Amino acid sequence: MPRVGIIGAGAMGGGIAQVAATAGWEVQLYDINAEQLDKSLDFIKKMLNRSVEKGRIDDVECKAILGRLYVTQNFSAFANCDLVIEAVVEDLQVKKSLFKKVEKEVSSDCILATNTSSLSVASIASACDDPSRVCGIHFFNPPVLMKLVEIIPAVQTNSETLAKADQIISSWGKLTVKAKDTPGFIVNRVARPFYGEGLRIYEEGIAEPSFIDRAMTEIGEFRMGPFTLMDYIGHDVNYKVTCSVFEAFYWDPRYKPSFAQKALVDAGYLGRKTGRGFYNYTQEESPQEMDWDASLAQEIVDRIVVMLINEAADAVFWNIATSKDIDLAMTRGVNYPKGLLAWANEIGISRVVSQLDQLYDTYREDRYRCSPLLRTMARKGSQFEL
Ligand code: NAI
């Protein structure tokens, strides 16, 4: 039976363990915290029992999956693993020291992967004697439900590692996309304007969060508006990701964090988990009358969507991923109503360019610069191939 080692039994590691065991792999789940291992196993049992109740799997299957799950606090359990996936705290030094130790315990053909969201895979790989066996395998939260996985070759990764990692994760029933080892990979890079431009519109006083959220869900057909989503993710987490992406892009103004969100973090208004964020969750809020202006709402949606399209097009321009993979990532990874590049084709590339140029003319900020790819495509009259 193929065998995978998972380091870190938190939200991600536990979920990845369930995915692998369900796909027929033996799993060795490791954590420094023994209590966390018990908690994680209990949670997986609860999830599987729920699947039995709902008739998705039967009792025999449930027992077989649990029978493939082992917990350990010893790296020697990884000796015969084909793959080890690390999902511990987002700390470069912790990850590097783990990779160094784990490499000594596994066979020479074992793939070592990191689930990092924001660190450089090349830097983590550099801790190993053989960095060519290291790559990024980035699941989304919760791993059991989210179909998308980004596979990230580092500059050191060899082609066999990449092909094998891709084949294994596909065999676990996931949809894989390949992304360059750059900040945010695909999804966490391309999605930045969803929050950033929403915040900017609010900070300029153009509309309130509830208005922008309504515009994005009713007109844009997104599942959640940016402010509801940020409250749900937690402003501490979302603000930290924004700051780290901003820094990692050498302070490109396109990724500039917002004072409005910083103020919430400073105040401890972290969103749903603290009862207050952009919205107040401590009291039953009576639906407030909103001055609904359909044309303003459309302008807001158009502005956020063209900024998202610009980000997606620029990711193609910089060879972060193919247009097809970017659209797959945004529709399957974060459930966007449409692929952004398909959306660009639909709106018309020239129209997208002129909307971006209008924003640039108004603000004269580098944040609103149009991607060279869009401009070239508009000139040639071409479309994204998807
Ligand atoms: P978490 O905090 O829920 O779990 C981390 C686990 O690692 C904890 O159980 C902790 O005891 C364990 N741990 C810490 N140091 C350790 C060490 N030295 N050795 C072994 N175990 C250790 O974190 P979460 O959310 O599961 O994230 C894990 C990784 O996945 C991070 O790199 C994060 O950036 C990434 N990620 C997180 C996503 C999310 O939405 N939470 C989405 C995609 C990736």
Side-chain angles (χ1 to χ4, degrees):
M1 193 187 300
R3 186 180 291 174
V4 60
I6 295 169
I7 316 173
M12 297 306 291
I16 298 168
Q18 187 182 333
V19 169
T22 304
W25 280 54
E26 182 188 305
V27 176
Q28 294 286 345
L29 182 59
Y30 173 104
D31 203 289
I32 33 163
N33 181 345
E35 221 175 280
Q36 184 60 35
L37 283 173
D38 291 341
K39 254 192 172 142
S40 181
L41 212 50
D42 280 350
F43 185 75
I44 296 174
K45 275 183 197 153
K46 218 167 87 190
M47 297 295 287
L48 289 172
N49 283 334
R50 207 175 293 163
S51 291
V52 173
E53 279 161 25
K54 290 193 172 162
R56 287 199 199 110
I57 53 171
D58 61 26
D59 243 348
V60 180
E61 239 173 313
C62 176
K63 283 206 181 79
I65 295 169
L66 287 171
R68 289 192 284 269
L69 266 169
Y70 297 85
V71 292
T72 181
Q73 290 205 283
N74 199 330
F75 286 141
S76 60
F78 293 163
N80 295 314
C81 280
D82 304 271
L83 166 69
V84 172
I85 303 177
E86 166 280 312
V88 305
V89 281
E90 192 74 337
D91 178 309
L92 183 61
Q93 288 320 316
V94 173
K95 288 187 195 281
K96 281 176 91 166
S97 101
L98 277 173
F99 272 74
K100 210 179 176 82
K101 278 188 215 149
V102 169
E103 190 184 26
K104 296 193 170 35
E105 304 286 341
V106 298
S107 61
S108 60
D109 57 354
C110 173
I111 294 178
L112 301 177
T114 174
N115 188 48
T116 183
S117 307
S118 60
L119 301 170
S120 133
V121 181
S123 166
I124 296 169
S126 72
C128 292
D129 287 335
D130 176 13
S132 72
R133 58 152 93 192
V134 179
C135 68
I137 298 185
H138 185 226
F139 285 82
F140 289 80
N141 194 7
V144 175
L145 296 182
M146 301 304 284
K147 190 104 176 123
L148 186 82
V149 177
E150 293 174 335
I151 309 275
I152 306 115
V155 65
Q156 307 99 316
T157 310
N158 68 26
S159 53
E160 294 87 68
T161 301
L162 187 64
K164 205 167 145 200
D166 189 72
Q167 181 259 317
I168 293 171
I169 302 304
S170 304
S171 78
W172 292 359
K174 297 296 177 191
L175 185 80
T176 61
V177 287
K178 202 177 97 187
K180 224 182 197 172
D181 183 19
T182 46
F185 310 129
I186 302 175
V187 170
N188 286 332
R189 172 192 188 128
V190 174
R192 293 320 325 142
F194 188 69
Y195 315 106
E197 208 51 28
L199 284 160
R200 170 81 189 227
I201 290 166
Y202 164 60
E203 281 187 314
E204 282 187 36
I206 295 170
E208 288 299 307
S210 54
F211 188 98
I212 301 169
D213 276 355
R214 183 171 161 194
M216 289 301 279
T217 49
E218 278 186 23
I219 299 176
E221 294 181 7
F222 285 83
R223 288 207 184 162
M224 252 186 225
F227 297 90
T228 308
L229 183 56
M230 284 183 279
D231 270 6
Y232 183 75
I233 295 169
H235 293 286
D236 48 345
V237 175
N238 190 258
Y239 180 68
K240 203 171 151 199
V241 175
T242 306
C243 290
S244 78
V245 169
F246 183 47
E247 190 185 332
F249 275 104
Y250 308 117
W251 292 276
D252 184 330
R254 220 158 57 196
Y255 307 104
K256 196 150 96 184
S258 102
F259 289 118
Q261 191 172 35
K262 180 175 185 293
L264 292 186
V265 176
D266 291 347
Y269 295 168
L270 304 182
R272 271 179 187 277
K273 60 187 172 191
T274 58
R276 190 154 175 192
F278 281 109
Y279 299 99
N280 191 340
Y281 301 92
T282 55
Q283 63 211 41
E284 205 42 54
E285 272 186 288
S286 45
Q288 284 184 347
E289 278 297 310
M290 184 186 284
D291 266 339
W292 185 246
D293 173 342
S295 72
L296 174 64
Q298 185 68 56
E299 268 174 42
I300 289 171
V301 173
D302 289 350
R303 175 165 165 178
I304 298 176
V305 169
V306 294
M307 288 296 278
L308 283 166
I309 289 172
N310 197 35
E311 201 58 55
D314 219 42
V316 178
F317 179 70
W318 290 108
N319 290 307
I320 305 305
T322 63
S323 4
K324 190 165 164 248
D325 275 3
I326 290 174
D327 269 13
L328 268 181
M330 302 316 285
T331 47
R332 307 302 286 271
V334 273
N335 298 319
Y336 277 20
K338 259 180 237 175
L340 293 166
L341 301 170
W343 214 336
N345 285 346
E346 205 180 290
I347 296 170
I349 308 292
S350 300
R351 218 171 124 209
V352 171
V353 170
S354 80
Q355 285 181 3
L356 285 162
D357 283 350
Q358 240 173 50
L359 284 166
Y360 185 80
D361 281 345
T362 306
Y363 294 106
R364 296 282 158 174
E365 285 176 54
D366 210 24
R367 173 189 180 86
Y368 296 104
R369 69 186 186 271
C370 172
S371 170
L373 177 63
L374 286 173
R375 208 174 284 289
T376 308
M377 287 176 75
R379 202 173 45 238
K380 290 186 179 161
S382 54
Q383 293 233 314
F384 285 103
E385 280 175 29
L386 301 163

